[in-house]
Amino acid sequence: MAKKRPQTTARRPQPSDAEIPVVGAREPCPCNSGRRYKACHGRAAAQAAAELVHRPFEGLAGECDWVALRELVPAATVELPLKDGLPEGVPSVTLATVLPMAWPALRREDGSVLLGLQNDTSSGDISRDLADTLQRALEAQPGTPVQGRRAPADGPRLQDLLDPEGAFEPVVHDGFEFWVPDAENATPEVTASLERANAAAIPTVKLTGVDSAYWCETPDKNHLRWVMPHSEERLLDALARLHAAGRSSLGEGTRLVGSFRAHGLTVPVWDLPSGVGAQDVEKPAAEFAERLATALASDAPLTPDERRARGGLTNRQVTLS
């Protein structure tokens, strides 16, 4: 008798980790393992989502302005140069603080792309989430918004897509009319969203004499919020030296009141009298930048007065992200 051949079961080809799409946590994993996504390849995605990237914009041109537009500036746009150039049919890519109805991105009728910066993100890496949205916007049909989703854990980041040598030059707007090229023919939903956004926008101006400093107007007083690239500990030491010496203000009636911590950078904040406008603080801010550079260069131990000043600044520090 002929020997029976052992029966074998053909195995389905298994996709590589890079080919596994992101699905719902309770759905079957696309790798055909028979397990739910959250118990299979979703574990890595969940871990990546939980890991917070403290400086998501590090390495990008204009990191300080990225932080300012994400957290402080109501209405602004920036033209984004792509590392590999613009795809065919995409005349421009523009970063915007906010888009109509909080869309993550929008592909306009002319093929241009608007990418929203201030949206909620699904992971701890804003850069990866924005890069995923940008890639999908570049491939979207003209005239359609791009919806949010959970970005693949191994997807590219903005640092992989944007030209590192490209300029990052924010344009601050009085309102959100940049949303639509023809506001009179906008849909009722977009018109209503535009009206609500304009009503809530705080007047803001970017200073021209120093980097990443933004004046804003509020009902009771004005403020200057200045995103700085220096390490937090060294910057607080320098601010304390100036504060103890009575040299931390921006002129009569102004006062350094504390700082924000946002995306790994420190944002000192000054209170300004309501009559002090953006132009009024241009020269004082430039002079302060010179004093700060000297204070940053000092390695001398803090004096008792400087330590007390530092403690006061630290106690008034607020973490935004």
Side-chain angles (χ1 to χ4, degrees), residues 78-220:
V78 188
E79 295 298 312
L80 295 181
L82 303 186
K83 183 179 293 186
D84 297 327
L86 294 170
E88 184 178 357
V90 180
S92 64
V93 174
T94 303
L95 180 74
T97 47
V98 181
L99 293 180
M101 293 171 283
W103 287 327
L106 171 65
R107 182 84 184 272
R108 283 177 160 166
E109 292 286 356
D110 66 355
S112 61
V113 168
L114 288 178
L115 176 67
L117 179 58
Q118 293 182 6
N119 298 80
D120 293 334
T121 57
S122 59
S123 80
D125 187 353
I126 297 171
S127 178
R128 194 179 309 281
D129 292 332
L130 288 171
D132 177 68
T133 302
L134 174 56
Q135 283 190 314
R136 290 186 292 126
L138 293 171
E139 298 173 354
Q141 291 296 318
T144 59
V146 175
Q147 303 300 328
R149 74 168 189 181
R150 183 170 53 192
D154 58 352
R157 307 177 73 238
L158 288 174
Q159 288 82 348
D160 302 315
L161 302 182
L162 302 183
D163 183 355
E165 304 298 328
F168 191 84
E169 300 175 350
V171 177
V172 178
H173 303 276
D174 295 331
F176 296 88
E177 282 72 20
F178 64 84
W179 282 353
V180 286
D182 185 4
E184 294 182 357
N185 295 322
T187 65
E189 292 82 4
V190 171
T191 299
S193 184
L194 178 61
E195 292 175 351
R196 289 193 300 270
N198 282 342
I202 297 174
T204 301
V205 177
K206 186 180 189 299
L207 298 195
T208 60
V210 295
D211 293 333
S212 309
Y214 292 81
W215 170 95
C216 67
E217 180 182 17
T218 60
D220 296 329

Side-chain angles (χ1 to χ4, degrees), residues 19-48:
E19 296 172 332
I20 303 297
V22 177
V23 298
R26 299 178 65 84
E27 295 180 33
C29 187
C31 76
N32 301 319
S33 66
R35 290 180 291 173
R36 289 179 177 175
Y37 180 70
K38 68 177 182 180
C40 193
H41 282 83
R43 288 178 175 175
Q47 182 179 0

Side-chain angles (χ1 to χ4, degrees), residues 287-310:
E287 294 171 346
F288 177 84
E290 295 180 359
R291 299 196 298 272
L292 180 64
T294 300
L296 285 167
S298 175
D299 290 324
L302 296 181
T303 67
D305 285 344
E306 291 168 348
R307 288 198 298 271
R308 283 191 290 271
R310 194 186 194 282

